[in-house]
Amino acid sequence: MELNLILGISVIGLLFAGWLISDVMKRDTGTAKMREISDAIKAGAEAFLRRQNRTILTLAVALGALIYILYAFVRAHNEHDPASPSQLALWTTLSFMLGALCSIAAGYMGMWVAIRSNIRTAAGATKNMNSALQPALRGGAVSGFFVVAMSLLGVAGLFAVVKASGVTEDITKIPLLIVGYGFGASFVALFAQLGGGIYTKAADVGADLVGKVEAGIPEDDPRNPAVIADLVGDNVGDCAGRGADLFESTAAENIGAMILAAGLFRANTAVFESQGLTILGVLLFPLVARAFGILASIVGILFTKVRNETEDPMKALNRGYAVTSVLVIVGFFVASRWLLGSEYYLNFFFCGMIGVLTAFAFVLITQYYTEYRYRPVKSIAEASQTGPATNIIAGIAVGMESTGYPVLVIATAIVSAYFLGEHSGLQHAGLFGTAVATMGMLGTAAYILAMDTFGPITDNAGGIVEMSQQPHEI
């Protein structure tokens, strides 16, 4: 039942992403000039990603072959291995390749929609605030749902296939056979985030130097052809690269949490069995909790809209995030009560809450240090009035300061989650408590990635509006 639930909700997440695509694509695409600029961005982004993905796939196939050879013929077999050398090599290699392919697919789909949402966001801005806000957020949400749903679907699907194949009778060892899925995702994320990220910053700085510094013209001025490269970079780095990066994080954390859950069950087998709990339920608890996060994010996305034309759009995004967070907490309560038993679930539910609150704290800290309304950004702007030297000093100082609060939040969350797990009444549960907190933190990942991709989509829309010489109020 647990496995079917995870697979079913993952499919629902992908279907919802499909609905979001259709909702975005049916919207107005603006003027001919807007479409001309959007088509140039689209051509550049797709060309970059095609070339990058071809290289990544070539390297992934070569590394996959090396992994198989090392596991099958070089690595010494021992009695603790989950399967024979040939089976271990086969499943590790297959899971590695599947992780790489899913990561590429999730990143590509997110960018495919983003480069088509920008023009619709720009056109929507000519009408009203919600017509601009919703295609940007929903276009960004496609990336979020593809990343989270495919991460869950890949891990749960591999788990089901390995279980059905009968490779090992001990299902606690199955996560060790599919750990290559997370490594495959990491391999792609390395290239996607670095390749796209370096391109993004190089194009951004290049456009600024030739435009704002040398020519003295506005940032997205149509006379500066480097602006197109800058806008392409937003998509290949901040959409595709970030999507692959988050896919890697979620896939690796899913498998890591399952491995810790297996260790927890082995250490407390008698206790769990006395409460009628199964190894499969405990093992899949992290995935079930994450699956409920998909449903919560769906509600949050549909809930998000501005209440009037003068409202700050960030308030609407924060409302949607708050709704998502509350529903994730409810989902965690249901999952922990159902799969961890009535006697020991409460501490792990609080671990999940710590994770959700940690993610919320990250959002607030990020907004404080990056929004124009608050002291950090204002202080950098003020320093800019006396020249580039004071601007650089203020910027570096604020950048260093901004790392302090996240470090404190992370340290507090890890220690608190470990303490709650260790004092849950179960043996050796501290590390599992930190894994549950991580699942809580990633529970809102689909909505967070929607907000993240919202940025480059609206940045592109702003460029399209300025380059097509729309009125200032647009």
Side-chain angles (χ1 to χ4, degrees), residues 74-99:
V74 178
R75 180 181 177 274
H77 182 67
N78 68 73
E79 59 182 16
H80 300 296
D81 283 349
S84 66
S86 59
Q87 290 284 3
L88 189 58
L90 175 66
W91 289 107
T92 302
T93 305
L94 284 177
S95 59
F96 170 81
M97 291 305 303
L98 184 63

Side-chain angles (χ1 to χ4, degrees), residues 248-259:
E248 176 268 328
S249 298
T250 56
E253 295 298 346
N254 288 342
I255 297 171
M258 290 174 71
I259 291 171

